[in-house]
Amino acid sequence: ICVVFLCSGSRSSKTFKPKKNIPEGSHQYELLKHAEATLGSGNLRQAVMLPEGEDLNEWIAVNTVDFFNQINMLYGTITEFCTETSCSVMSAGPRYEYHWADGTNIKKPIKCSAPKYIDYLMTWVQDQLDDETLFPSKIGVPFPKNFMSVAKTILKRLFRVYAHIYHQHFDSVMQLQEEAHLNTSFKHFIFFVQEFNLIDRRELAPLQDLIEKLGSKDR
């Protein structure tokens, strides 16, 4: 087992954590609308590119919030299948197991069930997104110098939720007829992190075959 330590109404509308909203009328809201419009064109490689004249940090911030909301919703659809019993460890197949630490509340990595781990992870991400000093929503407020490294850590950890869903719950996803939604969301996520080199290749290893398949289909 490769143990990776972390250091530092309707079913479709059900989310695991509350949705993170970007304030309407803000520049980030306009960017989100631009992202949604270009996604509609079907060309994902083009849709993830930095729009001309825009700030890279702001583009990464808006998309990180969007991926948090997407994963939140996707995991929300399968929470009844991801239990302390069925998923007593947070894993992505037999070779990858994740232990949780956030560097503040839990400093020493702990082994825990997948639902507990994902709860820790999504709560931690939510706290980062709600922190105005890290993710400023007001125009003219600069992003902190460590923004890129925080965003990379968030995206690296969000990837692990996709990896767990694909490895441990894909049958349930198919049963719920959510696989097209999951595949599109993951493809968008991967093209985005590849475009800006945001996740180390080694971290993507649990889904490497799928990533190659998605990439080759797009060529």
Side-chain angles (χ1 to χ4, degrees):
I1 285 186
C2 163
V3 178
V4 181
F5 294 121
L6 294 192
C7 300
S8 320
S10 74
R11 180 183 297 280
S12 63
S13 65
K14 181 181 170 191
T15 61
F16 178 60
K17 294 277 176 196
K19 190 169 184 277
K20 169 76 179 163
N21 289 314
I22 290 174
E24 267 190 67
S26 66
H27 183 61
Q28 291 189 9
Y29 186 78
E30 297 307 315
L31 270 182
L32 181 64
K33 289 287 147 212
H34 170 86
E36 285 169 1
T38 51
L39 276 174
S41 73
N43 185 337
L44 281 175
R45 285 273 183 222
Q46 208 172 335
V48 298
M49 290 175 181
L50 178 67
E52 202 176 331
E54 293 298 344
D55 176 67
L56 178 61
N57 286 345
E58 199 155 34
W59 182 238
I60 286 174
V62 165
N63 281 277
T64 300
V65 170
D66 190 34
F67 290 128
F68 168 78
N69 286 333
Q70 285 185 43
I71 293 166
N72 198 5
M73 201 177 285
L74 287 163
Y75 184 67
T77 63
I78 56 108
T79 45
E80 67 196 272
F81 308 106
C82 186
T83 65
E84 300 280 332
T85 316
S86 66
C87 301
S88 57
V89 294
M90 173 61 177
S91 61
R95 291 177 53 218
Y96 299 93
E97 186 176 299
Y98 302 111
H99 294 184
W100 177 257
D102 58 19
T104 46
N105 299 322
I106 300 172
K107 292 184 176 163
K108 194 176 173 196
I110 56 167
K111 185 172 180 168
C112 54
S113 67
K116 189 81 184 150
Y117 181 102
I118 292 170
D119 189 23
Y120 279 137
L121 186 155
M122 297 301 268
T123 303
W124 176 84
V125 172
Q126 205 166 22
D127 288 346
Q128 310 304 303
L129 300 180
D130 287 341
D131 185 342
E132 280 286 327
T133 64
L134 284 175
F135 280 78
S137 58
K138 294 178 181 67
I139 290 181
V141 178
F143 283 85
K145 289 191 168 62
N146 66 334
F147 172 75
M148 199 60 84
S149 97
V150 171
K152 284 179 174 180
T153 305
I154 290 172
L155 293 165
K156 173 179 79 176
R157 291 177 174 182
L158 288 176
F159 166 80
R160 293 168 180 178
V161 185
Y162 280 120
H164 179 72
I165 294 173
Y166 271 111
H167 276 283
Q168 314 304 135
H169 300 293
F170 195 66
D171 286 351
S172 304
V173 170
M174 286 177 71
Q175 205 180 316
L176 297 166
Q177 299 183 315
E178 289 280 345
E179 68 268 30
H181 181 193
L182 173 64
N183 288 340
T184 304
S185 173
F186 181 63
K187 187 174 182 178
H188 180 202
F189 177 89
I190 282 301
F191 283 10
F192 187 81
V193 299
Q194 286 175 338
E195 174 72 12
F196 303 105
N197 200 21
L198 298 168
I199 302 181
D200 190 287
R201 194 181 159 85
R202 284 170 308 180
E203 281 286 336
L204 301 173
L207 293 178
Q208 195 52 49
D209 291 350
L210 175 63
I211 291 167
E212 283 170 13
K213 199 161 128 189
L214 292 173
S216 65
K217 271 187 188 170
D218 203 64
R219 281 187 197 115

